Amino acid sequence: KELNVPGEAKFKNRGVSYCTICDAPFFKGQDVALVSWGDLAREPVTILSSVANKFYWIFPSDKPIHDEEFIEQAKRVGKVVFMPNSEVVEIKGDAKVKAVVVRNKKTGEVQELPVAAVFVEVGYVTRSDFVRHLVDLNERGEIIADWEGKTKTPGVFAAGDIVAYPYKQAVISAAMGVAAALSATAYVMKIKGKPVASLVDWKAEAKK
Ligand SMILES: Cc1cc2nc3c(=O)[nH]c(=O)nc-3n(C[C@H](O)[C@H](O)[C@H](O)COP(=O)(O)OP(=O)(O)OC[C@H]3O[C@@H](n4cnc5c(N)ncnc54)[C@H](O)[C@@H]3O)c2cc1C
């Protein structure tokens, strides 16, 4: 999900990042901003607490997460500046991000914070509507599939970020794609009367 504020599109990959775990190391020792709240914020806050010099944690309500222990831990590390009741109104820079403009929704105060990066971790958009009649979706619109990529409809396989699996990484998606492709092949071959042993029975193999 994007913020849809001025400057965001211009500075994508020039300081605006949607993946803290991927891009935070590029801003090691620098001042940055994080827009995130709730459980989604756990990972980026933990990463920035280790990597950044200082980070502004921007969130729209009084508290960023309902976990006092987590908030206290972030405070103890001492790198976080809390920006409650706040929203980003603009991202500024020249060739790269130089500042984020933040408005306090309660007081109306507008601040320009000098930062080298703005990490946006406000969730994913799932585009699974076009298969909702074929598969089960969870509350986030992710497709329920097993580790072979099978969905509730025989012959319909799913793989990648769209699957209800918590880790959204390229190598995981690629591996899921391989599994789903092999499963699809096995499915078609079975229909053709030429079943392939896509799952190896190692105990049987050992006896051969
Ligand atoms: C900013 C960012 C940085 C990342 N950095 C890393 C990283 O450093 N390392 C890492 O491992 N992972 C990273 N990831 C995660 C990684 O990109 C994903 O896990 C991976 O791309 C998922 O692959 P996918 O094929 O499942 O989905 P996607 O790559 O999202 O591909 C889905 C494709 O389907 C298309 N599509 C959508 N709807 C339809 C439709 N109805 N018909 C046809 N096509 C459609 C989309 O346009 C898209 O091209 C990053 C993600 C983001 C957002």
Side-chain angles (χ1 to χ4, degrees), residues 79-163:
K79 294 185 174 181
V80 62
V81 178
F82 293 92
M83 303 294 293
N85 305 303
S86 296
E87 61 184 3
V88 173
V89 289
E90 188 177 355
I91 297 167
K92 290 183 170 178
D94 40 40
K96 293 177 179 174
V97 167
K98 293 275 189 238
V100 61
V101 183
V102 176
R103 191 178 75 91
N104 186 302
K105 296 192 291 175
K106 271 193 175 166
T107 64
E109 185 193 359
V110 175
Q111 279 180 274
E112 187 169 317
L113 310 169
V115 292
V118 180
F119 293 97
V120 180
E121 296 260 8
V122 293
Y124 292 89
V125 177
T126 45
R127 298 201 177 119
S128 53
D129 267 358
F130 70 107
V131 285
R132 69 162 52 247
H133 57 297
L134 293 170
V135 300
D136 285 329
L137 303 176
N138 67 11
E139 69 284 359
R140 290 186 294 277
E142 295 167 324
I143 297 173
I144 311 289
D146 69 10
W147 53 273
E148 292 175 59
K150 287 179 184 163
T151 65
K152 75 167 183 187
T153 304
V156 175
F157 301 88
D161 278 6
I162 197 66
V163 169

Side-chain angles (χ1 to χ4, degrees), residues 11 13 19-20 33 41 45 53 75 98 110 114 116 118 122-123 138 146-148 156 165-166 169 178 184 206:
F11 294 111
N13 302 321
C19 182
T20 312
V45 166
N53 174 57
K75 281 183 189 167
K98 293 275 189 238
V110 175
V118 180
V122 293
N138 67 11
D146 69 10
W147 53 273
E148 292 175 59
V156 175
Y165 186 76
Q169 290 284 289
V178 173

